Amino acid sequence: MKIHLLLFSIVMVLGLSSCLKDDYVDPTVQSQKDDAIIVKFLTDNNISAIKHSSGLYYQIIQSGSGNITYTVNTTVTSNYTGRLLSGQVFDKSTTQPLAFKLGQVIVGWQIGVPLIQKGGKIRLFIPSGYGYGPQGSGPIPPNSVLDFDIELVDVQ
């Protein structure tokens, strides 16, 4: 009986392991790929952007005013457009700005939004690890670099 249980366990482990995706990419390798993709995009489109210590690239269009110290509980109200580097828009605010707690948005926003204040405008080039990563989300394919235009209407 024990041998049958052992054989069954081995078959199950082997069977389940064959279901694992072969397309796993080490996060460090993906980060390097994303950086090269962003640099090429910026160069090809003659965009001047600054590389943040996190690896995110940004372009401050307007710094805004105020001296808010951001936390995960800071509510940001914004107009925004999110695109893939192909130019395909995957999300945008419509007629009304949308409000979010900073801790409830992707890490790229958590890093980039605090670089400006109320009334500010920024463009973020977000590596996939700070966006939706290897799983993607809806129309966003896995490991996609994201391009956001964000205008901060209010910060509380």
Side-chain angles (χ1 to χ4, degrees):
M1 182 69 173
K2 286 185 182 182
I3 197 131
H4 284 94
L5 184 57
L6 179 62
L7 287 174
F8 177 75
S9 297
I10 291 171
V11 168
M12 288 303 292
V13 168
L14 291 174
L16 290 174
S17 66
S18 68
C19 294
L20 296 175
K21 290 188 173 190
D22 293 335
D23 56 359
Y24 170 78
V25 177
D26 179 272
T28 303
V29 172
Q30 186 61 47
S31 177
Q32 293 167 347
K33 286 181 180 181
D34 289 348
D35 192 72
I37 289 167
I38 293 170
V39 168
K40 181 176 180 351
F41 180 83
L42 296 174
T43 302
D44 290 352
N45 292 282
N46 199 28
I47 297 170
S48 177
I50 298 166
K51 184 176 183 180
H52 187 269
S53 60
S54 66
L56 173 139
Y57 285 77
Y58 65 95
Q59 181 183 50
I60 295 177
I61 300 32
Q62 196 171 331
S63 58
S65 61
N67 58 355
I68 294 287
T69 301
Y70 291 83
T71 70
V72 294
N73 292 314
T74 302
T75 298
V76 295
T77 303
S78 64
N79 288 310
Y80 68 92
T81 301
R83 294 177 295 276
L84 301 175
L85 293 186
S86 66
Q88 176 190 343
V89 174
F90 60 82
D91 193 15
K92 69 185 290 184
S93 54
T94 52
T95 57
Q96 294 284 76
L98 297 176
F100 308 95
K101 288 217 182 280
L102 200 54
Q104 297 173 332
V105 295
I106 60 173
V107 174
W109 273 52
Q110 293 176 29
I111 295 167
V113 168
L115 298 173
I116 59 174
Q117 294 286 316
K118 180 179 177 178
K121 295 179 182 180
I122 193 167
R123 187 168 182 188
L124 301 177
F125 301 93
I126 301 174
S128 63
Y130 295 138
Y132 295 96
Q135 69 277 358
S137 178
I140 303 167
N143 296 317
S144 292
V145 171
L146 307 176
D147 175 4
F148 275 95
D149 288 318
I150 302 169
E151 173 190 9
L152 281 184
V153 175
D154 197 10
V155 181
Q156 297 179 358

